[in-house]
Amino acid sequence: MKPAILFDLDGTLWDATGCIDKIWNRVLEKHENISFRMTHQILNDVMGKTMEEMGKCLFPDLSEKEREQLIDELGIEEVIYLKEHGGILYDGVKEIIPILSKNYDLYIVSNSQDGYVQAFLTAHGMETYFKDIEMSGRTGREKSYNIQLIMQRNQIEKAYFVGDTRFDQEASLENNLPFIYCSYGFGKDLDALAKIDSFKDLPALLETL
């Protein structure tokens, strides 16, 4: 069995924040009782959280039911747009993923809503390179659990986790996986044993681990 690489998505493989803030604001403008508008900076600050955690953080005055309905609406609009238009792939992702897939089994574990990872795969033609995916929006569970689920489902014995935030690092350590920190993503100055400053650096780093 090949060793496995489990990837986070946002801040690791792509950056979709350039369009997500506009998608959110288009939805929010339909709700007269909500004055909040998303900005690029706010979006960067909450990246890595689940949609539910974002909702609680950004819309604390809404009832739980109202918040759930709004988050569902926002998530659906995101997926529709991203499936067609995609996001911005980090430098080297398009070229290196096919190469890595020859020697590693590749997976994606994200805190996103269901459909978000599928939108990434479809928009950028990467369905064939990843063996399995999991999202908090599909399981209702946190990233640590979803990593464990992917590993059990695919009988993974050796793996690395590649991500960019403290949440990724914590989830990786909880599953006893070596963590590779993407310093170009949304996380800030994480103290990690392995770090890449560009996705292009990943193959060479993996050879040293």
Side-chain angles (χ1 to χ4, degrees):
M1 179 181 290
K2 296 178 185 177
I5 306 175
L6 283 67
F7 291 96
D8 168 57
L9 179 50
D10 289 314
T12 300
L13 297 176
W14 78 349
D15 181 356
T17 58
C19 56
I20 288 178
D21 55 349
K22 298 179 180 64
I23 296 168
W24 275 49
N25 288 336
R26 195 159 59 234
V27 173
L28 293 172
E29 286 169 1
K30 299 176 184 178
H31 296 263
E32 296 181 357
N33 61 322
I34 299 175
S35 60
F36 172 83
R37 294 295 182 265
M38 179 61 77
T39 67
H40 196 69
Q41 183 58 56
I42 294 173
L43 188 55
N44 283 349
D45 290 342
V46 297
M47 291 305 289
K49 297 179 181 291
T50 66
M51 290 291 282
E52 290 74 18
E53 289 169 338
M54 287 186 189
K56 291 178 181 179
C57 176
L58 300 175
F59 308 106
D61 297 333
L62 295 182
S63 69
E64 184 173 351
K65 182 177 180 180
E66 289 174 326
R67 194 160 53 234
E68 288 178 356
Q69 291 175 339
L70 178 60
I71 289 299
D72 284 346
E73 186 178 355
L74 291 165
I76 290 170
E77 289 300 316
E78 278 186 17
V79 168
I80 291 172
Y81 180 91
L82 292 172
K83 188 173 182 179
E84 180 178 355
H85 300 283
I88 298 174
L89 297 181
Y90 287 109
D91 192 23
V93 169
K94 190 72 172 179
E95 299 78 22
I96 291 171
I97 286 296
I99 296 172
L100 289 177
S101 69
K102 296 177 181 179
N103 298 311
Y104 299 88
D105 288 334
L106 307 183
Y107 305 86
I108 297 177
V109 184
S110 171
N111 271 344
S112 62
Q113 67 273 32
D114 190 14
Y116 189 86
V117 176
Q118 295 95 319
F120 161 79
L121 296 174
T122 300
H124 296 285
M126 292 200 175
E127 299 97 326
T128 59
Y129 302 121
F130 291 90
K131 294 192 60 133
D132 200 359
I133 60 175
E134 198 53 87
M135 296 144 285
S136 296
R138 186 158 68 181
T139 66
R141 299 292 298 272
E142 71 285 354
K143 182 167 284 184
S144 176
Y145 174 88
N146 291 327
I147 289 174
Q148 185 180 60
L149 186 62
I150 281 277
M151 294 188 68
Q152 291 175 346
R153 195 158 67 204
N154 295 278
Q155 299 180 321
I156 297 171
E157 297 177 357
K158 180 181 180 181
Y160 306 95
F161 191 85
V162 182
D164 67 304
T165 68
R166 172 177 57 83
F167 307 109
D168 294 329
Q169 185 178 37
E170 291 172 352
S172 179
L173 295 177
E174 286 172 13
N175 284 281
N176 297 313
L177 296 183
F179 176 66
I180 299 174
Y181 167 47
C182 302
S183 65
Y184 55 82
F186 299 111
K188 302 297 182 184
D189 301 322
L190 296 186
D191 183 15
L193 294 177
K195 181 182 79 167
I196 55 174
D197 297 321
S198 166
F199 196 84
K200 290 182 176 181
D201 299 335
L202 183 57
L205 175 62
L206 288 167
E207 291 181 3
T208 69
L209 298 178

